[in-house]
Amino acid sequence: MATDKSILAKGVKYLAGALPLLFLGPVVITSAFKNENHPLYVYVLILGILIALAAMFLIFKGINTVLKSLFDGDKKP
């Protein structure tokens, strides 16, 4: 079983990009809920939710890419 290292590196980059978003999303959402009477509350909450969704997408994409590099590497002729 051969691992395609370039695809594996790409998957690790996706996972590394998701790491800061995993911390930033909940912090922004918590900050929004602490300031519910502020006029920008809704916009900050939407921003936090979008950051959290982006983190989830990058994790999915990263794990999918890592698994593809591990298991699709042996299908080459």
Side-chain angles (χ1 to χ4, degrees):
M1 182 159 98
T3 302
D4 192 350
K5 293 191 189 320
S6 63
I7 296 176
L8 180 65
K10 191 176 186 182
V12 171
K13 285 180 186 178
Y14 282 132
L15 292 173
L19 189 61
L21 296 178
L22 280 173
F23 293 102
L24 187 62
V27 168
V28 172
I29 291 171
T30 304
S31 174
F33 279 125
K34 284 184 180 180
N35 299 312
E36 286 187 33
N37 56 359
H38 197 275
L40 296 177
Y41 158 72
V42 175
Y43 301 113
V44 175
L45 181 62
I46 290 171
L47 177 67
I49 291 171
L50 288 175
I51 290 171
L53 288 174
M56 286 187 274
F57 175 74
L58 285 176
I59 290 172
F60 170 76
K61 187 87 168 155
I63 291 174
N64 199 10
T65 307
V66 167
L67 289 176
K68 186 185 299 183
S69 75
L70 293 174
F71 295 116
D72 286 347
D74 56 352
K75 290 185 180 177
K76 293 180 182 174

